Amino acid sequence: MQIALIETFLDLCETRSFNRTADRLGVTQSTVSGRMKALEKALGQRLFVRSRAGTELTTEGLRFVPHARTLRHNWTEARHAIRDLASGAVTVRVGIQADLVGIHFSDLINDFRAVLPEASFLFEADYSAQMSADLATGNEDIAILFTPRFHPDLYFETLGEVAYLMVSTETDRLEAVRADTYITPHFSDALPQIHAKLLPRLARGSLSIGQNAAMVSLLETMGGTSYVMSDSALALQRAGTCRLVADAPPIALPVYAGVHIRNRQRPLHRRLLQILRARFRAGERQTAQRRLR
């Protein structure tokens, strides 16, 4: 059975549209239809019912979904295992939220390598939606992210949180923040809703930034007001670039670790989760100590 049939089936389960699946996979609608016919023939069961209302899974299709996910995950793991055998070392693929790369990142790498000196590590900075998808397919072993996309095949746990503070080149009072020079933060999928509830007056800015480093650079070059990570806020204050808007509410984004549910109890993944728990606890203690100073 071709893995393309499984991937097309699982995508169609999400979109419930042959047209949308064709667009997402970069193929024609007739290709999607042909793949589903081939899969149904191989299984000897009808998987979808198409009507004017859309595309719905049959009972047999619903039963096949978890098995299809397992097939896709096993296929990806098999490909990685063969590649690891050829290179002589196990490759551990780690996804990390782009904004978290600067937080204790070198310490985290050292912790991982100390515990698994024979392993080869591939770290990739990315965003939550893609990392969740990569965990589900087996393209990542573990992810550190802001906004999990909850899925029956994935396990997530909270590691801690990251604080963002409002800074400005123009004022230190929230009431004086100008909407026309305010840059809306979009560091996670959940942040726009949190921000809109806290600061409805500033929820519809003409400019939005999704990465802390880009936000810092923009404030340094263009000026204005926005949220940045607490360490960045302190650095901008010390440099005399920005002032802290002290009466603006801080925004805390939770940080999660994610693994595929089948890997949760494996020794390798359990050890990686232990390292992450310890590292984020240590990081929160250091942050608290800096604030006390």
Side-chain angles (χ1 to χ4, degrees):
M1 187 182 297
Q2 296 179 19
I3 195 64
L5 306 187
I6 299 298
E7 291 174 340
T8 304
F9 168 77
L10 289 172
D11 193 272
L12 196 51
C13 289
E14 291 183 18
T15 65
R16 303 300 174 95
S17 165
F18 279 67
N19 282 328
R20 285 187 61 200
T21 287
D23 289 340
R24 282 167 47 143
L25 298 182
V27 298
T28 63
Q29 184 180 344
S30 60
T31 298
V32 174
S33 298
R35 288 178 181 177
M36 289 305 92
K37 287 178 182 176
L39 183 59
E40 289 176 333
K41 182 177 179 181
L43 293 171
Q45 298 289 342
R46 193 173 184 185
L47 301 175
F48 291 99
V49 175
R50 299 174 70 178
S51 67
R52 291 182 179 179
T55 301
E56 295 297 329
L57 284 158
T58 63
T59 301
E60 292 76 18
L62 289 167
R63 288 174 178 168
F64 183 59
V65 170
H67 300 287
R69 290 179 182 143
T70 299
L71 286 168
R72 181 177 62 181
H73 188 263
N74 287 346
W75 171 256
T76 306
E77 285 201 324
R79 287 171 53 215
H80 289 312
I82 293 170
R83 190 180 308 152
D84 290 344
L85 284 172
S87 65
V90 174
T91 300
V92 180
R93 302 168 302 278
V94 183
I96 183 166
Q97 190 85 29
D99 268 9
L100 298 176
V101 171
I103 302 180
H104 319 296
F105 189 53
S106 59
D107 293 333
L108 183 62
I109 292 175
N110 288 334
D111 289 345
F112 280 1
R113 295 183 71 183
V115 172
L116 299 165
E118 31 339 281
S120 173
F121 287 92
L122 172 61
F123 285 86
E124 292 184 308
D126 213 329
Y127 292 92
S128 299
Q130 185 59 51
M131 285 188 283
S132 295
D134 287 340
L135 286 174
T137 59
N139 283 316
E140 278 180 359
D141 293 295
I142 191 164
I144 310 157
L145 66 170
F146 280 156
T147 312
R149 295 293 178 92
F150 292 100
H151 187 282
D153 293 340
L154 301 182
Y155 166 77
F156 295 100
E157 68 174 66
T158 307
L159 295 173
E161 61 182 29
V162 174
Y164 288 82
L165 304 175
M166 185 185 289
V167 295
S168 177
T169 60
E170 302 168 343
T171 182
D172 58 3
R173 294 177 298 111
L174 181 58
E175 65 178 4
V177 171
R178 295 165 48 195
D180 60 321
T181 59
Y182 184 74
I183 308 168
T184 308
H186 196 149
F187 304 124
S188 79
D189 292 342
L191 184 54
Q193 291 76 26
I194 297 170
H195 181 272
K197 289 181 180 178
L198 290 173
L199 301 163
R201 179 174 72 87
L202 301 173
R204 295 185 174 230
S206 60
L207 180 61
S208 181
I209 300 294
Q211 190 178 51
N212 183 72
M215 185 72 81
V216 170
S217 177
L218 204 61
L219 290 170
E220 290 174 333
T221 55
M222 289 180 52
T225 305
S226 191
Y227 278 87
V228 295
M229 298 179 84
S230 56
D231 286 351
S232 298
L234 294 174
L236 288 168
Q237 278 184 282
R238 293 190 185 112
T241 305
C242 290
R243 288 176 280 173
L244 179 68
V245 183
D247 59 337
I251 295 178
L253 293 181
V255 179
Y256 299 86
V259 296
H260 196 281
I261 196 74
R262 297 183 63 201
N263 294 331
R264 181 184 174 188
Q265 298 303 329
R266 290 185 176 178
L268 168 65
H269 296 78
R270 289 176 62 186
R271 191 71 189 98
L272 294 175
L273 287 171
Q274 289 171 358
I275 292 170
L276 287 173
R277 294 182 197 116
R279 176 51 56 193
F280 272 83
R281 281 198 296 267
E284 287 183 346
R285 286 196 297 269
Q286 291 171 6
T287 300
Q289 289 169 359
R290 283 198 299 270
R291 287 175 182 168
L292 289 173
R293 296 193 197 116

